[in-house]
């Protein structure tokens, strides 16, 4: 009886995770990797979610999965968002403890639990930003990049002492996106004050 209950709970967890990932517009291959469900089962869940469980339409992403590393550091805003997501991955125990390790965190937890933790990290990241731009599939690709010790690596900012992601071949830039965004914001405020001052002077002369 306990074996049947355990099997039922495991099957229910797999289905719940698949529906959760469908809500984030995950690709079929990503859902299959985390849940072990067949493509046909996932397609049926897509149809069920789209027609019965969701009030808004859900999009099925097709084509190739994200594969461009530069996407995450293409500008200051993207680098900041990717660095924040990497911090969420670390907080939920999804990253390697050692560089170059062969085993992934999935060697220590089941695939379903790994997928659940990933969803927790991604949803936490979404809640921390006013207008997040990283899709679920880009976040999944970023996690694979970080765990393969690829072109992206964590560096410490020499100004604010925080960690951020950068291209490991770029050894010259030592300021993090947070510092750069702060400087950009300060310049915008200064420019706005100057415009207000000039406008007030023009009004007074009139």
């Amino acid at each position: 009886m306990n074996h049947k209950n355990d099997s039922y709970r495991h099957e229910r967890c797999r289905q719940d995770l698949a529906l959760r990932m469908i809500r984030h517009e995950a690709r079929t291959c990503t859902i299959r990797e985390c849940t072990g469900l067949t493509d046909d089962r996932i397609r049926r869940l897509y149809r069920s979610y789209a027609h019965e469980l969701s009030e808004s339409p859900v999009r099925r992403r097709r084509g190739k999965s994200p594969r461009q590393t530069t996407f995450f550091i293409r500008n200051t805003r993207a680098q900041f968002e990717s660095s924040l997501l990497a911090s969420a991955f670390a907080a939920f125990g999804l990253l390697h403890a050692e560089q170059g390790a062969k085993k992934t965190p999935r060697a220590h937890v089941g695939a379903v639990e790994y997928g659940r933790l990933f969803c927790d990290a991604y949803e936490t990241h979404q809640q921390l930003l006013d207008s997040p731009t990283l899709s679920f599939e880009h976040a999944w690709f970023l996690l694979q990049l970080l765990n393969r010790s690829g072109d992206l690596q964590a560096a410490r900012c020499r100004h604010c002492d925080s960690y951020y992601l950068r291209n490991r071949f770029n050894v010259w830039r030592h300021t993090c996106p947070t510092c750069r965004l702060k400087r950009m914001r300060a310049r915008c405020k200064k420019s706005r004050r100057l415009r207000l001052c000039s406008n007030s002077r023009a009004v007074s002369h009139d």
Side-chain angles (χ1 to χ4, degrees), residues 5 39 52 69 105 107 121 147 155 157 164 177 189 204:
N5 289 337
D39 289 3
E52 300 174 18
T69 303
N147 278 332
C157 178
Y164 65 99
K189 285 184 177 180
S204 63

Side-chain angles (χ1 to χ4, degrees), residues 79-99:
Q79 189 179 18
F80 170 78
E81 189 172 345
S82 300
S83 300
L84 185 64
L85 181 56
S87 298
F89 289 155
F92 281 88
L94 293 168
L95 298 181
H96 287 172
E98 299 179 0
Q99 292 291 332

Side-chain angles (χ1 to χ4, degrees), residues 46-134:
Y46 263 113
R47 290 193 292 270
S48 174
Y49 182 84
H51 294 109
E52 300 174 18
L53 303 177
S54 178
E55 296 180 357
S56 57
V58 59
R59 179 174 56 172
R60 284 193 63 187
R61 294 186 178 271
R62 302 179 186 275
K64 294 182 179 180
S65 299
R67 285 294 179 268
Q68 292 186 344
T69 303
T70 54
F71 176 86
F72 302 106
I73 53 174
R74 65 190 186 280
N75 55 45
T76 300
R77 168 69 187 187
Q79 189 179 18
F80 170 78
E81 189 172 345
S82 300
S83 300
L84 185 64
L85 181 56
S87 298
F89 289 155
F92 281 88
L94 293 168
L95 298 181
H96 287 172
E98 299 179 0
Q99 292 291 332
K102 292 182 179 179
K103 291 185 178 180
T104 68
R106 270 174 288 185
H108 305 287
V109 299
V112 174
E113 177 66 9
Y114 185 81
R116 188 187 65 80
L117 288 172
F118 175 79
C119 288
D120 288 342
Y122 179 73
E123 290 166 5
T124 299
H125 170 262
Q126 296 287 95
Q127 293 170 2
L128 291 174
L129 295 174
D130 292 332
S131 53
T133 61
L134 282 175

Side-chain angles (χ1 to χ4, degrees), residues 69 145 149-153 166-169:
T69 303
L145 277 178
S149 301
D151 294 340
L152 293 180
Q153 65 176 193
R166 71 174 185 184
N167 190 314
R168 67 187 181 95
F169 299 109

Side-chain angles (χ1 to χ4, degrees), residues 185-198:
R185 185 177 182 183
R187 286 196 296 268
C188 288
K189 285 184 177 180
K190 183 178 179 180
S191 177
R192 192 178 301 114
R193 286 197 300 268
L194 291 174
R195 287 197 301 271
L196 289 174
C197 289
S198 62

